[in-house]
Amino acid sequence: MNRDSISKTSTDEYPQVTQADFDRAVLRRNLEPDEEKQRITLALDAEVVRYFKTKGGKQGYHHLINETLKRIVRLDIAEQNGFEEILRKIIREELAAAGNAH
């Protein structure tokens, strides 16, 4: 079998993968859907990088920075949700009090 026939056979057996195919793809980790990661360039203070490199362990400091930021985001969202619930409670109490005052 020559190179031309191998190349022709492989393209005949498998359809061409398009960008649309990649856009529809679901990233999975251990068969579970996993959120897509986005590569960025980020300048951090040397002190911050040293800290995470020291603490990073087997998984590495990039992973530790990502996990730390995810924790902060979750806490911030939870805090915002808690704030919103407290604000709603205060508004309900004030509206009830204003309704009783009339």
Side-chain angles (χ1 to χ4, degrees), residues 8 28 60 87 97:
K8 187 174 185 181
R28 294 184 181 274
L87 185 59

Side-chain angles (χ1 to χ4, degrees), residues 5 7 15-16 27-28 34 41 47 55 65 73-74 92:
S5 63
S7 177
Q16 182 179 1
L27 182 63
R28 294 184 181 274
D34 194 17
T41 301
E47 177 184 358
K55 299 287 185 181
I65 290 170
V73 168
R74 286 186 204 117
R92 282 192 296 267

Side-chain angles (χ1 to χ4, degrees), residues 83-99:
F83 174 76
E84 290 173 8
E85 187 55 41
I86 291 169
L87 185 59
R88 284 188 184 101
K89 181 180 176 186
I90 292 170
I91 291 171
R92 282 192 296 267
E93 289 171 358
E94 292 298 320
L95 288 172

Side-chain angles (χ1 to χ4, degrees), residues 7-61:
S7 177
K8 187 174 185 181
T9 303
S10 66
T11 58
D12 289 344
E13 291 178 16
Y14 303 103
Q16 182 179 1
V17 178
T18 65
Q19 184 61 46
D21 294 325
F22 283 110
D23 292 343
R24 286 192 308 273
V26 176
L27 182 63
R28 294 184 181 274
R29 179 176 294 173
N30 298 326
L31 301 178
E32 295 295 323
D34 194 17
E35 290 187 25
E36 182 179 338
K37 294 201 179 215
Q38 182 176 2
R39 184 172 299 277
I40 64 167
T41 301
L42 179 66
L44 300 172
D45 291 345
E47 177 184 358
V48 172
V49 174
R50 276 193 304 274
Y51 172 83
F52 281 101
K53 279 185 174 182
T54 302
K55 299 287 185 181
K58 289 182 181 179
Q59 295 195 344
Y61 72 101

